[in-house]
Amino acid sequence: MRWDNLFDDLESQLEGGLRADEADLLVEEERLRLARLSLRERLSALVHEGAAVRLLLVSGQTADLTPATLGRDWISGELATVGAARHHAIVPFTALQGVALTRAQVSNSIVPSARAATAEGEGLSARLGLGYVLRDLCRRRSAVTVSFTAGGTAHGTVDRVGRDHLDLAVHDAGIPRRESSVSYYRVIPLTVVEMVRTG
């Protein structure tokens, strides 16, 4: 009888040790998974959530944005504004100082299943850089307001987009771009663009 108790005790100790090793392995795997997460992957999970996130910009400003599209190095969506005016904004990742999230958004942004589902459904936009999106605005002849990382803004129409810069025909807001309405042309390095707002 005592031998049976001894073997039962040894068996339970072995099972307990195996469970502890398995739990340690799971904890280490989760640490490694989180270590591989990029900011882009975390934002990707929030795009499909439909809730606004507060972007903390390098200029010290904040922008409440409901994310709609995520590119290789930018995020875009609708800005939360007061009144009837709706503004769409494009924010390069380089202009982010951080993102202020709710507790639920933090949890949703690190859930593996949400990350995998959004990565599969992103398609082409995930590979498009900031230059591509700005070229689209150029083709559409959309009036934009460009905010700069050092502060300040310029309003106008994007005339062309190079590899690392854009040309903005600066004119007053609410006026269509015509040669007579252009005050001057501003060549803007993409590295100083904090936000491009349309609407």
Side-chain angles (χ1 to χ4, degrees), residues 51-57 61-65 96 98-101 105:
V53 294
R54 176 159 288 168
L55 303 178
L56 310 172
L57 305 173
Q61 301 295 316
T62 61
D64 292 333
L65 184 85
L96 293 176
V99 183
L101 301 176
Q105 287 172 324

Side-chain angles (χ1 to χ4, degrees), residues 144-168:
V144 298
T145 301
V146 179
S147 301
F148 304 105
T149 54
T153 61
H155 182 82
T157 303
V158 179
D159 273 356
R160 67 194 54 81
V161 180
R163 182 176 57 177
D164 60 355
H165 67 282
L166 65 88
D167 289 5
L168 186 71

Side-chain angles (χ1 to χ4, degrees), residues 22-32:
E22 189 175 300
D24 289 345
L25 184 61
L26 290 173
V27 167
E28 186 58 29
E29 285 176 358
E30 179 65 4
R31 276 193 201 114
L32 286 172

Side-chain angles (χ1 to χ4, degrees), residues 17-84:
L18 289 174
R19 279 194 300 270
D21 287 347
E22 189 175 300
D24 289 345
L25 184 61
L26 290 173
V27 167
E28 186 58 29
E29 285 176 358
E30 179 65 4
R31 276 193 201 114
L32 286 172
R33 185 187 71 77
L34 291 173
R36 290 184 194 111
L37 271 178
S38 68
L39 173 63
R40 188 189 179 290
E41 289 171 317
R42 293 196 60 188
L43 290 173
S44 177
L46 299 175
V47 166
H48 301 287
E49 197 175 271
V53 294
R54 176 159 288 168
L55 303 178
L56 310 172
L57 305 173
V58 295
S59 67
Q61 301 295 316
T62 61
D64 292 333
L65 184 85
T66 302
T69 310
L70 192 70
R72 183 179 67 225
D73 56 357
W74 54 272
I75 186 169
S76 73
E78 192 172 308
L79 284 173
T81 55
V82 179

